[in-house]
Amino acid sequence: MDKFRIHGGVPLSGTVVIRGAKNAALPAMAAALLTGERVVLHNVPRVRDIATLRSLLDELGVDSSIAHEEYGNRVEIEARQLISPVAPYELVKQMRASVLVLGPLLARFGHARVSLPGGCAIGARPINLHLKGLERLGATITMDHGYIDARAERLRGAAFHFDTISVTGTENLMMAASLAEGTTVLENAALEPEVQDLACLLNAMGARIQGAGTSRITIEGVGRLHGTEHTIIPDRIEAGTFMVAAVITRGCLRLERVRTQHLTAVIAKLEESGAKVSPGPPSGAGQAFDTLTAELPGGLTAADVTTREYPGFPTDMQAQYMALMTQASGSSVITETIFENRFLHALELVRMGADITVDGRRAVVRGPTPLSGANVQASDLRASASLVLAGLAAEGETVIDRVYHIDRGYERIEQRLAQVGARIQRISED
Ligand code: EPZ
C-alpha cells in the first residue's frame, strides 16, 4: 500500500489546474448506459473511482476508453448491448457509487442485479430511498445473497418525495425516469451542482428534465435517448481542498478551471476565518471556467461551521476545514449533519498535536496548536485530504498510510502539490 511522506512548513505558491468533478463524472458515465450510441465526456478526472466504474462497465459488456486531453481526460462510452446486468460485489464494495448503474440498467434493459453496497467508514450509507423511488416507478425489487434484483417491463412516471435529501438517490431516479412512460416529479430532490450537470447531460441526450438545481425536478419520459458530447463541471471539493492548502500553509495559490459559483459557502467560511479569496480572469478551453486566488494575508481566526446540503457548507469539505481550524485562534464548533460518523480524521489530527473534542455530531477545535509530523492512517477519501493538509502545516515529517483512499478522488495530488512547493513524495510499497 502506498504512503505519502510530507515535510511540512513550506508556504505553497503557484498555479493549480482543477480537474473535473469525480461526483459529476460517475453519474455521467452511468447515464451512458441509457443509450446504445456513443457518449463522449470531457474533463473527466483520472482517479481510482473512474477506473473502478470503467471496470464495472466492462463487466456489463460496455466498451469505454479514456484518453488524455489538454484539459482533463476524455472518456468515450458506447453501451450497444449488455453481456450481463450484474454489478458484482467485488466492484461495488470498492465504490458504493456503483449503485448509480441501477436506474439506467433498469430503465434501458428492464433488469439490474447490483450488489448491496455495505456501509463505509463515514456511515451506514443506506440506499432505501433509491429502491423506494424505483418501486414507485413500477420496478419489482427483491433481495437475495446480498444483491438487489430489480426488474420492470417498462417504468412508469410517478411522483416521489425524498424523506431525506439524497444526491445519488436523485441522480438514480432522474436517470430511470428519463426513459419511463409518462411524467415523474421528484420532490425534496438534491440541489448539488453534480445533479444539475447530470440533468444537463441527460437533456443533451434527448431527455426532458426541468427543475434540476431546485428541490422539485420534473422528468417527462421519452422512448429513447441518443449519444452526445459533454464537459464535466470542475470539482468544487478539490478546489476547496487546494484553497485550504494555500491558507493552512500561509501561502498563495491560483486555481484555474474552477466554477466559483459552486464554492460560495466554502469561500464565505474561509473569508470569515481571515482568508482572502480573489477572482481572476476566465480560464480553460474557451475561457469557459473561472480562476480564483486563495491566500492568508493576516491572522487565522476560528469560525464555527455546520455542514448542510448544497448550497450549504459541503460535508465533503468538513475534514479539510477541521485541519485548518487547528491553526486558527480560538475555539470552533464543527457540526456534521449529513453523516453519522465523519470525524475519523479528528483522532489522527489529535495525534499530530491538535486539541479536538468530539461529541456525537459535534467537534470542538481549540487553536492554534502547533502540529508535529507523525505516522497517521487514512480512513476515507476526505479524511485523507485532511491529513495531507495537516502534514503540510506540521513541523517535521508526516507519513500517511493507505493513500489509496485519496487516490480515489484526487488526481496525482502529491505531484500537483509538489509543483507548488510542497515537500511531499509517494512511497510505493508492494
Ligand atoms: C454523495 O453521496 C457523494 N458521492 C458524497 O461524496 C457526498 O458526501 C454526499 O453525496 C453528500 O453530499 C457521490 O456523489 C458519488 P446522500 P451519496 O445519498 O449520494 C442518507 C465523496 O467524498 N440516505 O446524499 O451516497 C445518507 O445516509 C463522497 O466524494 C438515506 O438515508 O449521499 C446520508 O445520511 C463521500 N437513504 C444522507 O442521506 C438513501 O437511500 C445523504 O446521503 C440515501 C441516502
Side-chain angles (χ1 to χ4, degrees), residues 151-162:
R151 295 172 189 268
E153 281 305 307
R154 173 100 196 264
L155 294 173
R156 291 183 313 281
F160 180 70
H161 181 277
F162 283 90

Side-chain angles (χ1 to χ4, degrees), residues 65 91 102 105 130 132-133 156 175 177 206 221 233 252 285 346:
S65 65
L91 288 171
L102 186 55
L105 286 177
H130 298 234
K132 211 168 128 187
R156 291 183 313 281
M175 290 188 281
I233 55 171
C252 177

